Short mmCIF file of all heavy atoms in Angstrom, two decimals:
data_model
loop_
_atom_site.label_atom_id
_atom_site.label_comp_id
_atom_site.label_asym_id
_atom_site.label_seq_id
_atom_site.Cartn_x
_atom_site.Cartn_y
_atom_site.Cartn_z
N SER A 7 0.85 -1.18 0.00
CA SER A 7 0.00 0.00 0.00
C SER A 7 0.89 1.24 0.00
O SER A 7 1.86 1.31 0.76
CB SER A 7 -0.89 0.00 1.25
OG SER A 7 -1.71 1.13 1.28
N PRO A 8 0.65 2.22 -0.90
CA PRO A 8 -0.53 2.36 -1.73
C PRO A 8 -0.38 1.81 -3.14
O PRO A 8 -1.14 2.17 -4.03
CB PRO A 8 -0.71 3.87 -1.79
CG PRO A 8 0.70 4.38 -1.80
CD PRO A 8 1.48 3.43 -0.92
N THR A 9 0.58 0.95 -3.41
CA THR A 9 0.82 0.49 -4.77
C THR A 9 0.06 -0.78 -5.12
O THR A 9 0.23 -1.32 -6.20
CB THR A 9 2.32 0.22 -4.98
OG1 THR A 9 2.75 -0.79 -4.05
CG2 THR A 9 3.12 1.49 -4.79
N ALA A 10 -0.79 -1.28 -4.23
CA ALA A 10 -1.55 -2.48 -4.51
C ALA A 10 -2.57 -2.24 -5.61
O ALA A 10 -3.04 -1.12 -5.82
CB ALA A 10 -2.25 -2.95 -3.25
N SER A 11 -2.94 -3.31 -6.31
CA SER A 11 -3.99 -3.19 -7.31
C SER A 11 -4.70 -4.52 -7.45
O SER A 11 -4.17 -5.58 -7.15
CB SER A 11 -3.39 -2.78 -8.68
OG SER A 11 -2.46 -3.72 -9.12
N GLY A 12 -5.97 -4.44 -7.88
CA GLY A 12 -6.73 -5.64 -8.13
C GLY A 12 -7.93 -5.80 -7.23
O GLY A 12 -8.43 -4.85 -6.65
N TYR A 13 -8.39 -7.06 -7.09
CA TYR A 13 -9.61 -7.33 -6.36
C TYR A 13 -9.55 -8.71 -5.72
O TYR A 13 -8.87 -9.61 -6.18
CB TYR A 13 -10.84 -7.23 -7.28
CG TYR A 13 -10.71 -7.99 -8.58
CD1 TYR A 13 -11.11 -9.33 -8.67
CD2 TYR A 13 -10.20 -7.39 -9.72
CE1 TYR A 13 -10.99 -10.03 -9.85
CE2 TYR A 13 -10.07 -8.07 -10.92
CZ TYR A 13 -10.48 -9.40 -10.98
OH TYR A 13 -10.35 -10.09 -12.15
N SER A 14 -10.29 -8.86 -4.62
CA SER A 14 -10.43 -10.15 -3.95
C SER A 14 -11.78 -10.15 -3.24
O SER A 14 -12.04 -9.30 -2.39
CB SER A 14 -9.31 -10.37 -2.93
OG SER A 14 -9.51 -11.59 -2.23
N LEU A 15 -12.64 -11.09 -3.62
CA LEU A 15 -14.01 -11.12 -3.14
C LEU A 15 -14.50 -12.55 -2.98
O LEU A 15 -14.29 -13.35 -3.89
CB LEU A 15 -14.93 -10.43 -4.16
CG LEU A 15 -14.43 -9.17 -4.84
CD1 LEU A 15 -15.31 -8.84 -6.04
CD2 LEU A 15 -14.44 -8.00 -3.89
N PRO A 16 -15.21 -12.89 -1.92
CA PRO A 16 -15.19 -12.22 -0.62
C PRO A 16 -13.99 -12.67 0.20
O PRO A 16 -13.36 -13.69 -0.11
CB PRO A 16 -16.49 -12.71 0.03
CG PRO A 16 -16.66 -14.10 -0.53
CD PRO A 16 -16.10 -14.05 -1.94
N THR A 17 -13.68 -11.94 1.24
CA THR A 17 -12.52 -12.23 2.09
C THR A 17 -12.97 -12.27 3.55
O THR A 17 -13.74 -11.41 3.98
CB THR A 17 -11.44 -11.16 1.90
OG1 THR A 17 -11.08 -11.08 0.53
CG2 THR A 17 -10.20 -11.46 2.73
N TYR A 18 -12.48 -13.24 4.29
CA TYR A 18 -12.79 -13.34 5.72
C TYR A 18 -11.78 -12.55 6.53
O TYR A 18 -10.57 -12.63 6.30
CB TYR A 18 -12.74 -14.81 6.16
CG TYR A 18 -12.93 -15.02 7.65
CD1 TYR A 18 -14.20 -15.20 8.19
CD2 TYR A 18 -11.85 -15.03 8.52
CE1 TYR A 18 -14.39 -15.39 9.54
CE2 TYR A 18 -12.02 -15.21 9.88
CZ TYR A 18 -13.29 -15.39 10.39
OH TYR A 18 -13.46 -15.58 11.73
N PHE A 19 -12.27 -11.75 7.50
CA PHE A 19 -11.37 -11.05 8.41
C PHE A 19 -12.11 -10.77 9.71
O PHE A 19 -13.16 -10.11 9.72
CB PHE A 19 -10.85 -9.75 7.81
CG PHE A 19 -9.78 -9.08 8.62
CD1 PHE A 19 -8.49 -9.59 8.65
CD2 PHE A 19 -10.07 -7.97 9.38
CE1 PHE A 19 -7.50 -8.99 9.41
CE2 PHE A 19 -9.08 -7.35 10.16
CZ PHE A 19 -7.79 -7.88 10.17
N ASN A 20 -11.57 -11.28 10.81
CA ASN A 20 -12.12 -11.03 12.15
C ASN A 20 -13.62 -11.30 12.23
O ASN A 20 -14.38 -10.55 12.86
CB ASN A 20 -11.81 -9.61 12.61
CG ASN A 20 -10.34 -9.43 12.95
OD1 ASN A 20 -9.58 -10.39 13.07
ND2 ASN A 20 -9.92 -8.18 13.09
N GLY A 21 -14.05 -12.35 11.57
CA GLY A 21 -15.44 -12.78 11.66
C GLY A 21 -16.37 -12.21 10.62
O GLY A 21 -17.48 -12.71 10.44
N ASN A 22 -15.95 -11.15 9.93
CA ASN A 22 -16.83 -10.49 8.97
C ASN A 22 -16.42 -10.74 7.53
O ASN A 22 -15.27 -11.08 7.24
CB ASN A 22 -16.85 -8.97 9.21
CG ASN A 22 -17.68 -8.58 10.41
OD1 ASN A 22 -18.32 -9.42 11.04
ND2 ASN A 22 -17.65 -7.29 10.74
N ILE A 23 -17.37 -10.52 6.63
CA ILE A 23 -17.10 -10.56 5.19
C ILE A 23 -16.50 -9.22 4.77
O ILE A 23 -17.07 -8.16 5.03
CB ILE A 23 -18.39 -10.81 4.41
CG1 ILE A 23 -19.01 -12.15 4.81
CG2 ILE A 23 -18.13 -10.77 2.91
CD1 ILE A 23 -20.43 -12.32 4.34
N HIS A 24 -15.34 -9.28 4.15
CA HIS A 24 -14.67 -8.11 3.59
C HIS A 24 -14.46 -8.34 2.09
O HIS A 24 -14.60 -9.45 1.58
CB HIS A 24 -13.31 -7.88 4.23
CG HIS A 24 -13.35 -7.42 5.66
ND1 HIS A 24 -13.88 -8.18 6.68
CD2 HIS A 24 -12.88 -6.28 6.24
CE1 HIS A 24 -13.75 -7.54 7.83
NE2 HIS A 24 -13.15 -6.38 7.59
N TYR A 25 -14.05 -7.29 1.40
CA TYR A 25 -13.55 -7.46 0.05
C TYR A 25 -12.51 -6.38 -0.24
O TYR A 25 -12.57 -5.28 0.30
CB TYR A 25 -14.67 -7.44 -1.00
CG TYR A 25 -15.60 -6.26 -0.98
CD1 TYR A 25 -15.34 -5.12 -1.74
CD2 TYR A 25 -16.77 -6.30 -0.23
CE1 TYR A 25 -16.20 -4.04 -1.74
CE2 TYR A 25 -17.65 -5.23 -0.23
CZ TYR A 25 -17.36 -4.10 -0.98
OH TYR A 25 -18.22 -3.03 -0.97
N PHE A 26 -11.53 -6.75 -1.06
CA PHE A 26 -10.52 -5.82 -1.55
C PHE A 26 -10.95 -5.30 -2.91
O PHE A 26 -11.34 -6.05 -3.80
CB PHE A 26 -9.17 -6.51 -1.74
CG PHE A 26 -8.39 -6.75 -0.49
CD1 PHE A 26 -8.25 -8.04 0.01
CD2 PHE A 26 -7.75 -5.71 0.18
CE1 PHE A 26 -7.51 -8.28 1.16
CE2 PHE A 26 -7.01 -5.94 1.32
CZ PHE A 26 -6.89 -7.24 1.82
N ILE A 27 -10.91 -3.99 -3.10
CA ILE A 27 -10.90 -3.38 -4.42
C ILE A 27 -9.79 -2.35 -4.37
O ILE A 27 -9.93 -1.32 -3.73
CB ILE A 27 -12.26 -2.75 -4.79
CG1 ILE A 27 -13.37 -3.79 -4.76
CG2 ILE A 27 -12.17 -2.11 -6.18
CD1 ILE A 27 -14.74 -3.24 -5.09
N ARG A 28 -8.68 -2.64 -5.03
CA ARG A 28 -7.45 -1.89 -4.78
C ARG A 28 -6.94 -1.26 -6.08
O ARG A 28 -6.96 -1.88 -7.13
CB ARG A 28 -6.38 -2.83 -4.23
CG ARG A 28 -6.90 -3.83 -3.23
CD ARG A 28 -5.85 -4.77 -2.73
NE ARG A 28 -5.03 -4.12 -1.71
CZ ARG A 28 -4.17 -4.79 -0.97
NH1 ARG A 28 -4.00 -6.08 -1.14
NH2 ARG A 28 -3.46 -4.17 -0.05
N SER A 29 -6.48 -0.04 -5.96
CA SER A 29 -5.87 0.64 -7.10
C SER A 29 -4.44 1.03 -6.74
O SER A 29 -4.00 0.85 -5.60
CB SER A 29 -6.67 1.90 -7.48
OG SER A 29 -6.49 2.90 -6.51
N ASN A 30 -3.73 1.60 -7.69
CA ASN A 30 -2.36 2.01 -7.43
C ASN A 30 -2.29 3.19 -6.46
O ASN A 30 -1.23 3.49 -5.92
CB ASN A 30 -1.66 2.40 -8.74
CG ASN A 30 -1.24 1.18 -9.53
OD1 ASN A 30 -1.09 0.10 -8.98
ND2 ASN A 30 -1.07 1.35 -10.83
N SER A 31 -3.40 3.85 -6.23
CA SER A 31 -3.38 5.01 -5.35
C SER A 31 -4.16 4.82 -4.06
O SER A 31 -3.94 5.55 -3.10
CB SER A 31 -3.95 6.23 -6.08
OG SER A 31 -5.28 5.98 -6.49
N THR A 32 -5.04 3.84 -4.01
CA THR A 32 -5.92 3.67 -2.85
C THR A 32 -6.03 2.20 -2.50
O THR A 32 -6.24 1.36 -3.38
CB THR A 32 -7.32 4.23 -3.12
OG1 THR A 32 -7.20 5.58 -3.56
CG2 THR A 32 -8.17 4.18 -1.86
N ASP A 33 -5.91 1.89 -1.22
CA ASP A 33 -6.04 0.52 -0.73
C ASP A 33 -7.40 0.41 -0.04
O ASP A 33 -7.56 0.85 1.09
CB ASP A 33 -4.90 0.21 0.24
CG ASP A 33 -4.91 -1.24 0.68
OD1 ASP A 33 -5.81 -1.98 0.26
OD2 ASP A 33 -4.01 -1.62 1.44
N ASN A 34 -8.38 -0.16 -0.71
CA ASN A 34 -9.73 -0.26 -0.18
C ASN A 34 -10.01 -1.67 0.30
O ASN A 34 -10.20 -2.59 -0.50
CB ASN A 34 -10.75 0.12 -1.26
CG ASN A 34 -10.60 1.55 -1.71
OD1 ASN A 34 -10.93 2.47 -0.98
ND2 ASN A 34 -10.08 1.75 -2.91
N PHE A 35 -9.98 -1.86 1.61
CA PHE A 35 -10.34 -3.14 2.23
C PHE A 35 -11.65 -2.89 2.96
O PHE A 35 -11.68 -2.29 4.02
CB PHE A 35 -9.24 -3.60 3.19
CG PHE A 35 -9.45 -4.97 3.75
CD1 PHE A 35 -9.94 -6.00 2.96
CD2 PHE A 35 -9.15 -5.24 5.08
CE1 PHE A 35 -10.12 -7.28 3.48
CE2 PHE A 35 -9.32 -6.51 5.61
CZ PHE A 35 -9.81 -7.53 4.81
N VAL A 36 -12.74 -3.30 2.35
CA VAL A 36 -14.07 -2.90 2.77
C VAL A 36 -14.66 -3.93 3.72
O VAL A 36 -14.74 -5.12 3.39
CB VAL A 36 -14.99 -2.72 1.54
CG1 VAL A 36 -16.38 -2.29 1.98
CG2 VAL A 36 -14.40 -1.70 0.57
N ASP A 37 -15.07 -3.47 4.89
CA ASP A 37 -15.74 -4.31 5.87
C ASP A 37 -17.25 -4.16 5.69
O ASP A 37 -17.80 -3.07 5.87
CB ASP A 37 -15.33 -3.89 7.29
CG ASP A 37 -15.96 -4.73 8.39
OD1 ASP A 37 -16.74 -5.66 8.08
OD2 ASP A 37 -15.66 -4.46 9.57
N THR A 38 -17.93 -5.24 5.34
CA THR A 38 -19.37 -5.16 5.13
C THR A 38 -20.14 -5.07 6.45
O THR A 38 -21.32 -4.71 6.46
CB THR A 38 -19.89 -6.38 4.37
OG1 THR A 38 -19.74 -7.56 5.18
CG2 THR A 38 -19.14 -6.56 3.05
N GLY A 39 -19.48 -5.47 7.55
CA GLY A 39 -20.17 -5.55 8.83
C GLY A 39 -21.07 -6.76 8.96
O GLY A 39 -21.78 -6.92 9.95
N ILE A 40 -21.02 -7.66 7.96
CA ILE A 40 -21.85 -8.86 7.94
C ILE A 40 -21.00 -10.04 8.41
O ILE A 40 -19.89 -10.26 7.92
CB ILE A 40 -22.38 -9.15 6.53
CG1 ILE A 40 -23.10 -7.92 5.96
CG2 ILE A 40 -23.29 -10.37 6.53
CD1 ILE A 40 -24.29 -7.47 6.73
N SER A 41 -21.51 -10.80 9.37
CA SER A 41 -20.79 -11.98 9.84
C SER A 41 -20.67 -13.00 8.71
O SER A 41 -21.64 -13.27 7.98
CB SER A 41 -21.52 -12.62 11.02
OG SER A 41 -21.55 -11.75 12.13
N TYR A 42 -19.49 -13.58 8.58
CA TYR A 42 -19.26 -14.59 7.54
C TYR A 42 -20.05 -15.85 7.90
O TYR A 42 -19.88 -16.41 8.97
CB TYR A 42 -17.77 -14.92 7.48
CG TYR A 42 -17.28 -15.42 6.14
CD1 TYR A 42 -16.43 -14.65 5.36
CD2 TYR A 42 -17.65 -16.66 5.66
CE1 TYR A 42 -15.96 -15.11 4.13
CE2 TYR A 42 -17.19 -17.14 4.44
CZ TYR A 42 -16.35 -16.35 3.68
OH TYR A 42 -15.88 -16.80 2.47
N PRO A 43 -20.94 -16.32 7.02
CA PRO A 43 -21.77 -17.48 7.36
C PRO A 43 -20.94 -18.73 7.61
O PRO A 43 -19.91 -18.96 6.95
CB PRO A 43 -22.65 -17.66 6.11
CG PRO A 43 -22.65 -16.34 5.44
CD PRO A 43 -21.29 -15.75 5.71
N THR A 44 -21.38 -19.54 8.54
CA THR A 44 -20.67 -20.78 8.86
C THR A 44 -21.14 -21.94 8.00
O THR A 44 -20.53 -23.02 8.03
CB THR A 44 -20.87 -21.14 10.34
OG1 THR A 44 -22.27 -21.25 10.61
CG2 THR A 44 -20.25 -20.08 11.24
N GLY A 45 -22.19 -21.78 7.25
CA GLY A 45 -22.70 -22.84 6.38
C GLY A 45 -22.75 -22.39 4.93
O GLY A 45 -22.17 -21.38 4.53
N LEU A 46 -23.48 -23.14 4.14
CA LEU A 46 -23.57 -22.89 2.72
C LEU A 46 -24.34 -21.60 2.45
O LEU A 46 -25.37 -21.34 3.07
CB LEU A 46 -24.27 -24.07 2.04
CG LEU A 46 -24.26 -24.12 0.52
CD1 LEU A 46 -24.20 -25.57 0.06
CD2 LEU A 46 -25.47 -23.44 -0.07
N SER A 47 -23.84 -20.80 1.52
CA SER A 47 -24.51 -19.55 1.20
C SER A 47 -24.11 -19.08 -0.19
O SER A 47 -23.15 -19.56 -0.79
CB SER A 47 -24.17 -18.45 2.22
OG SER A 47 -22.79 -18.15 2.19
N HIS A 48 -24.88 -18.11 -0.69
CA HIS A 48 -24.56 -17.43 -1.94
C HIS A 48 -24.14 -16.01 -1.62
O HIS A 48 -24.81 -15.31 -0.85
CB HIS A 48 -25.78 -17.41 -2.86
CG HIS A 48 -25.56 -16.65 -4.13
ND1 HIS A 48 -25.99 -15.34 -4.31
CD2 HIS A 48 -24.95 -17.00 -5.29
CE1 HIS A 48 -25.65 -14.93 -5.52
NE2 HIS A 48 -25.02 -15.91 -6.14
N MET A 49 -23.03 -15.57 -2.18
CA MET A 49 -22.53 -14.21 -1.98
C MET A 49 -22.27 -13.56 -3.34
O MET A 49 -21.88 -14.23 -4.30
CB MET A 49 -21.22 -14.20 -1.19
CG MET A 49 -21.29 -14.81 0.18
SD MET A 49 -19.69 -14.61 1.06
CE MET A 49 -19.95 -15.71 2.45
N ALA A 50 -22.47 -12.25 -3.39
CA ALA A 50 -22.14 -11.50 -4.60
C ALA A 50 -21.68 -10.11 -4.20
O ALA A 50 -22.21 -9.50 -3.26
CB ALA A 50 -23.34 -11.40 -5.53
N VAL A 51 -20.69 -9.60 -4.92
CA VAL A 51 -20.21 -8.23 -4.76
C VAL A 51 -20.23 -7.58 -6.14
O VAL A 51 -19.80 -8.19 -7.13
CB VAL A 51 -18.79 -8.19 -4.18
CG1 VAL A 51 -18.27 -6.76 -4.12
CG2 VAL A 51 -18.76 -8.80 -2.79
N THR A 52 -20.73 -6.35 -6.21
CA THR A 52 -20.76 -5.62 -7.47
C THR A 52 -19.96 -4.32 -7.33
O THR A 52 -19.95 -3.71 -6.26
CB THR A 52 -22.20 -5.29 -7.90
OG1 THR A 52 -22.80 -4.37 -6.96
CG2 THR A 52 -23.05 -6.54 -7.97
N TRP A 53 -19.32 -3.92 -8.41
CA TRP A 53 -18.48 -2.71 -8.40
C TRP A 53 -18.46 -2.10 -9.79
O TRP A 53 -18.50 -2.81 -10.80
CB TRP A 53 -17.05 -3.07 -7.98
CG TRP A 53 -16.02 -2.01 -8.32
CD1 TRP A 53 -15.75 -0.88 -7.61
CD2 TRP A 53 -15.16 -1.99 -9.46
NE1 TRP A 53 -14.76 -0.15 -8.23
CE2 TRP A 53 -14.38 -0.80 -9.36
CE3 TRP A 53 -14.96 -2.84 -10.54
CZ2 TRP A 53 -13.43 -0.47 -10.33
CZ3 TRP A 53 -14.01 -2.50 -11.50
CH2 TRP A 53 -13.26 -1.33 -11.38
#
């Protein structure tokens, strides 16, 4: 950071669903505030 680039969806961190959307100038690690499900589920992220 701040040279990271790309995307990673979804990502687990400290119990919540996160996602990376990263550019060469900004490191965006977004916390959805949603607990990562322990069972089967469908997830989608749009950008």
